[in-house]
Amino acid sequence: MCAASSEDCGTHKPRWFPCSARDQRWDREQREREGGRGVRAAAEQRLARLRSKTPHLLHPDIHPVVIAMFLKRLRPLAFRKMSFLVFILTSALSVTCLPSDTDKGRRKVVHVLEDDTGAVIVQTAPGKVVTHRGGSITLPCRYHHEPENTDPARIRIKWTKVTDALQFEDVFVALGREQRVFGSYKGRVFLEQAGPGDASVIIQNVTLEDYGRFECEVTNDMEDDTGFVNLDLEGVVFPYYPREGRYKLNYHQGEDACKQQDAILASHSQLHKAWLEGLDWCNAGWLEDGSVQYPISHPRDQCGRKDTPAGVRNYGYRHKEDERYDAFCFTSKLNGKVYFLKRFKKVNYAEAVKACIREGSAVAKVGQLYAAWKFQLLDRCEAGWLEDGSIRYPIVNPRSRCGGSQPGVRHLGFPDKKFRLYGVFCFQKNKDETAGGTVMTKSPTVSLTKKKSSSSMATKATRGN
């Protein structure tokens, strides 16, 4: 009999028990199995540490494969060799998770303040840029590269107008010396070209439809970045309903009604600004985003109860086809002049139209009268015909017998066009205008890049019932 050592037979047998060759081989295999479990646990811990440090290099399903392979085929290896091979193999397999050659053609969007390495960085103006209809404005956009060694001829500059959620309208695109302008922007949009890295554009003869959000995108091969510029217009919001009465317009009819009166549907921000300036109207109307709202400066029982706070009341988004409301329209500075036609006698609607034509003018539209009240400070305590057949008059300086104690455009309704007699407001275009718009040079003086202070005059209208 031979004495058995703990090294040969382990602690599972008494030390005096004889150790055969088979027993010794069984002990060695048992120790290898126990060592394998330790190696597996260590490998899992090392992989966990690698994942926490380099999550972008390791595939989420790699460690079960690696561990199973190594435990089955490389079980006798020492722990250090084992962990080293696990690291090498995981690094090699992680390479298969990187983008292939087919992905190199895809554009990489790099956002400012997130990853600037090798990127095209675009910077645009914070807040808003402000102008008025008929004016010119620079939409600022600058870019630079890191590193700055890119051929300018390979830079593409693209401007688009955000018309709705996830909808864009092409405005301007340039690639090197090649440039193209789209749609209604033709002849009005040009690169400012104020030096290297300048992607700013100048918009001439600004229209009401130019109001809104623009996107500047600069692309260099696979790298690009974008920035946004909000173009605001100085203007005035006014409520509108047609001769047929109140709450007769669905969304599309409200949109058309504003256009017919030289205006567009107002945005929520425009209506909110008008409310801050004093607009009070007790009838709900469409806004450009499809919502229905109305501003209340003086709460009263007829307008949602007297005990409710002042503010812009919101009905939410309504069905554009089936539901009917009034409309809130927005207009801006005129490319012309509104005036009250002085005559010895009052006239009906047809005679008013002829009288303005003889003056080389046309009967003023509702939006034009509001713009004249806001920007021309037109003040007339005498009612007159407008293009839609309504009777109105503008008051800048309130006084007795002129329709109330607040400034605004008074509305007397839609009288009989044939038998009722009033004066008339005419609109005359500026002499330097052509059929295509105001004649301007390609490089006008442009310095408006910050929001102007709003007029101190409160924007108030006749209260609804």
Side-chain angles (χ1 to χ4, degrees):
M1 298 180 62
C2 65
S5 67
S6 59
E7 181 179 356
D8 293 335
C9 298
T11 58
H12 63 282
K13 291 177 181 281
R15 295 181 59 84
W16 53 266
F17 196 85
C19 293
S20 64
R22 181 177 181 180
D23 292 332
Q24 296 177 19
R25 185 171 62 253
W26 188 91
D27 280 351
R28 286 195 298 271
E29 290 177 355
Q30 181 68 13
R31 286 196 298 271
E32 289 175 0
R33 283 193 294 271
E34 293 175 353
R37 285 192 294 271
V39 169
R40 179 185 178 90
E44 289 178 337
Q45 293 177 0
R46 182 166 182 79
L47 283 172
R49 290 194 298 271
L50 288 174
R51 288 186 186 282
S52 64
K53 294 179 180 180
T54 58
H56 60 289
L57 292 179
L58 297 180
H59 192 276
D61 296 327
I62 192 171
H63 69 277
V65 178
V66 172
I67 293 174
M69 180 185 301
F70 274 74
L71 288 179
K72 182 176 181 179
R73 299 184 179 274
L74 303 178
R75 183 179 301 149
L77 292 178
F79 172 74
R80 290 186 178 180
K81 293 183 179 180
M82 178 69 175
S83 60
F84 176 75
L85 288 177
V86 168
F87 174 76
I88 294 299
L89 185 56
T90 54
S91 300
L93 291 178
S94 66
V95 175
T96 62
C97 303
L98 298 177
S100 62
D101 293 340
T102 58
D103 293 331
K104 292 182 179 179
R106 299 179 182 176
R107 294 189 309 172
K108 178 183 177 183
V109 179
V110 183
H111 298 283
V112 179
L113 302 180
E114 290 186 8
D115 186 0
D116 295 347
T117 305
V120 177
I121 308 302
V122 170
Q123 296 173 331
T124 53
K128 299 178 180 179
V129 293
V130 184
T131 186
H132 55 79
R133 177 170 52 179
S136 295
I137 190 68
T138 295
L139 302 184
C141 179
R142 298 193 62 83
Y143 66 92
H144 66 275
H145 300 87
E146 296 181 2
E148 299 182 357
N149 57 357
T150 304
D151 183 4
R154 300 174 66 89
I155 299 296
R156 189 188 75 156
I157 300 170
K158 183 178 181 181
W159 282 88
T160 54
K161 173 79 179 298
V162 183
T163 58
D164 204 348
L166 303 179
Q167 294 184 12
F168 298 84
E169 175 187 3
D170 290 336
V171 175
F172 174 88
V173 65
L175 179 60
R177 295 184 178 181
E178 299 294 327
Q179 301 181 10
R180 183 180 177 185
V181 186
F182 298 87
S184 62
Y185 298 96
K186 290 182 179 179
R188 299 195 298 121
V189 176
F190 309 92
L191 272 180
E192 186 178 43
Q193 296 179 331
D198 185 25
S200 306
V201 291
I202 299 172
I203 302 181
Q204 297 177 346
N205 192 21
V206 173
T207 68
L208 293 175
E209 289 74 17
D210 293 340
Y211 167 85
R213 187 176 176 88
F214 290 81
E215 179 188 66
C216 173
E217 178 185 50
V218 180
T219 305
N220 171 27
D221 295 331
M222 293 185 298
E223 305 286 346
D224 75 357
D225 192 23
T226 59
F228 292 91
V229 180
N230 294 311
L231 174 59
D232 197 5
L233 299 179
E234 293 177 327
V236 57
V237 173
F238 61 94
Y240 186 79
Y241 62 90
R243 174 179 289 273
E244 291 75 19
R246 291 177 171 173
Y247 289 5
K248 300 294 184 181
L249 304 172
N250 64 22
Y251 175 83
H252 304 290
Q253 292 169 339
E255 192 174 35
D256 292 339
C258 289
K259 289 181 180 179
Q260 291 170 8
Q261 300 309 315
D262 194 42
I264 57 174
L265 279 176
S267 67
H268 169 74
S269 62
Q270 289 169 339
L271 183 64
H272 184 264
K273 180 180 178 182
W275 170 73
L276 292 175
E277 294 175 348
L279 180 61
D280 184 281
W281 194 254
C282 196
N283 293 85
W286 292 104
L287 297 182
E288 56 88 20
D289 62 354
S291 66
V292 174
Q293 306 181 35
Y294 65 100
I296 294 296
S297 297
H298 306 285
R300 48 202 182 275
D301 290 336
Q302 300 93 329
C303 299
R305 296 197 307 273
K306 187 176 182 178
D307 57 349
T308 56
V312 178
R313 310 287 169 77
N314 193 342
Y315 285 3
Y317 298 99
R318 315 305 297 180
H319 196 286
K320 292 184 177 182
E321 299 288 346
D322 297 340
E323 299 191 55
R324 282 169 168 74
Y325 299 91
D326 294 345
F328 284 101
C329 305
F330 173 84
T331 192
S332 186
K333 187 176 179 180
L334 295 170
N335 293 325
K337 179 182 179 181
V338 173
Y339 61 96
F340 185 81
L341 182 59
K342 296 179 181 180
R343 296 182 60 86
F344 294 106
K345 64 175 183 178
K346 296 181 179 181
V347 294
N348 63 24
Y349 181 81
E351 292 170 338
V353 172
K354 293 178 182 179
C356 288
I357 292 176
R358 284 195 297 266
E359 294 280 328
S361 305
V363 179
K365 299 180 178 182
V366 176
Q368 293 169 342
L369 183 64
Y370 270 93
W373 167 73
K374 177 74 172 181
F375 297 103
Q376 291 180 208
L377 301 182
L378 181 62
D379 187 293
R380 187 77 185 189
C381 192
E382 189 172 357
W385 291 105
L386 293 182
E387 187 269 344
D388 66 339
S390 65
I391 300 296
R392 306 175 194 250
Y393 61 99
I395 296 297
V396 175
N397 300 308
R399 48 204 182 273
S400 60
R401 294 184 295 180
C402 285
S405 61
Q406 300 294 333
V409 175
R410 313 290 191 244
H411 183 198
L412 301 184
F414 296 86
D416 187 285
K417 288 185 175 182
K418 186 175 182 180
F419 298 106
R420 298 301 298 271
L421 305 179
Y422 295 92
V424 59
F425 289 94
C426 301
F427 171 72
Q428 188 173 55
K429 292 182 179 180
N430 290 332
K431 294 181 180 180
D432 60 349
E433 280 198 354
T434 64
T438 304
V439 178
M440 302 189 69
T441 59
K442 181 176 179 180
S443 300
T445 301
V446 183
S447 60
L448 292 173
T449 57
K450 294 184 179 181
K451 183 177 180 181
K452 294 181 179 179
S453 59
S454 60
S455 173
S456 59
M457 180 177 62
T459 303
K460 296 199 176 185
T462 305
R463 298 180 188 177
N465 296 324

